[in-house]
Amino acid sequence: MTRISLTQYDTSDAEVRKEYDYQIQKNGRITNMKRTLLHSLPSYKSYMEWYVLKDEIVPFLGERPFTIFSHALSAETDCLICSTFFRNIIFDWGENPETLEFNETEDLLVEFAREIVKNSNAVSDSVFQRLESKFDEKQIVLLTAFAGIMIATNIFNNVLKIPLDEVLKPFTKKGNHHHD
């Protein structure tokens, strides 16, 4: 059960309503996480930087490796909402997250994600050297900063027990999505 109420459009001030309108116009809906974050506009705005980093990363990394990296971070932190969000995308590709085959870059990103979550003080030199062979310093900074924001998102959802959005329920490991 959620620990914090979801904001309601009707009882929110003009600035919060503007963000609701933006999210609905952009995505067709507003997530439970965003409705919770909107209790505090500065909190909401800081977490929305996720999208700014995504827009910097996808051009050099590609949508598929980005999604695989995001899913690995979310699965490793055991965040039901975020891992299910990315599972949904993977199913939309016509693939199964349980049996995904990774190319060399995706394999590296999954390993990097797992090491970051397990112990950020112990990301191995071998993983880091492989990152350096594929990415420049700016790209490594972007990937690492993104990992931090992704993990912060996972933590926010986990600590406050944000309820899973209805549209994501079929994509959980327990769900019975038709691709499973």
Side-chain angles (χ1 to χ4, degrees):
M1 187 68 194
T2 186
R3 292 179 162 165
I4 303 287
S5 64
L6 301 177
T7 58
Q8 302 296 323
Y9 185 87
D10 298 343
T11 54
S12 295
D13 66 30
E15 217 178 335
V16 169
R17 285 182 185 202
K18 191 178 110 191
E19 295 303 330
Y20 261 80
D21 292 339
Y22 170 77
Q23 288 297 328
I24 290 165
Q25 175 231 318
K26 186 173 176 257
N27 303 308
R29 51 187 285 277
I30 183 167
T31 65
N32 291 341
M33 178 188 161
K34 289 171 187 157
R35 288 178 64 195
T36 305
L37 278 164
L38 280 167
H39 280 288
S40 159
L41 270 168
S43 299
Y44 168 83
K45 287 177 177 171
S46 69
Y47 277 81
M48 292 307 99
E49 292 298 305
W50 185 99
Y51 295 95
V52 176
L53 294 180
K54 177 187 180 190
D55 289 345
E56 292 279 315
I57 292 170
V58 168
F60 74 81
L61 193 62
E63 195 74 46
R64 178 188 166 94
F66 172 82
T67 299
I68 288 168
F69 185 49
S70 302
H71 179 264
L73 289 159
S74 301
E76 207 61 32
T77 55
D78 204 21
C79 178
L80 178 65
I81 290 178
C82 295
S83 61
T84 305
F85 176 83
F86 295 110
R87 283 173 64 81
N88 181 7
I89 293 170
I90 294 165
F91 279 123
D92 284 350
W93 299 338
E95 295 191 64
N96 184 329
E98 312 308 318
T99 57
L100 263 187
E101 303 230 346
F102 303 133
N103 66 29
E104 189 185 337
T105 300
E106 293 161 349
D107 200 43
L108 170 60
L109 291 167
V110 169
E111 209 173 322
F112 186 43
R114 288 183 178 145
E115 287 193 6
I116 290 170
V117 173
K118 196 163 60 183
N119 183 352
S120 60
N121 282 309
V123 171
S124 67
D125 289 340
S126 66
V127 164
F128 201 79
Q129 286 159 0
R130 285 165 53 212
L131 285 169
E132 289 177 314
S133 74
K134 288 193 175 296
F135 305 110
D136 65 28
E137 289 187 331
K138 178 183 178 181
Q139 293 169 333
I140 293 170
V141 166
L142 276 163
L143 289 168
T144 306
F146 174 80
I149 286 195
M150 187 74 251
I151 293 166
T153 300
N154 301 155
I155 290 169
F156 184 84
N157 286 320
N158 290 348
V159 171
L160 298 183
K161 301 187 184 304
I162 309 294
L164 184 65
D165 299 82
E166 281 299 317
V167 298
L168 294 178
K169 285 186 178 163
F171 302 98
T172 64
K173 284 189 176 186
K174 294 182 190 109
N176 39 9
H177 189 267
H178 63 275
H179 289 111
D180 262 339

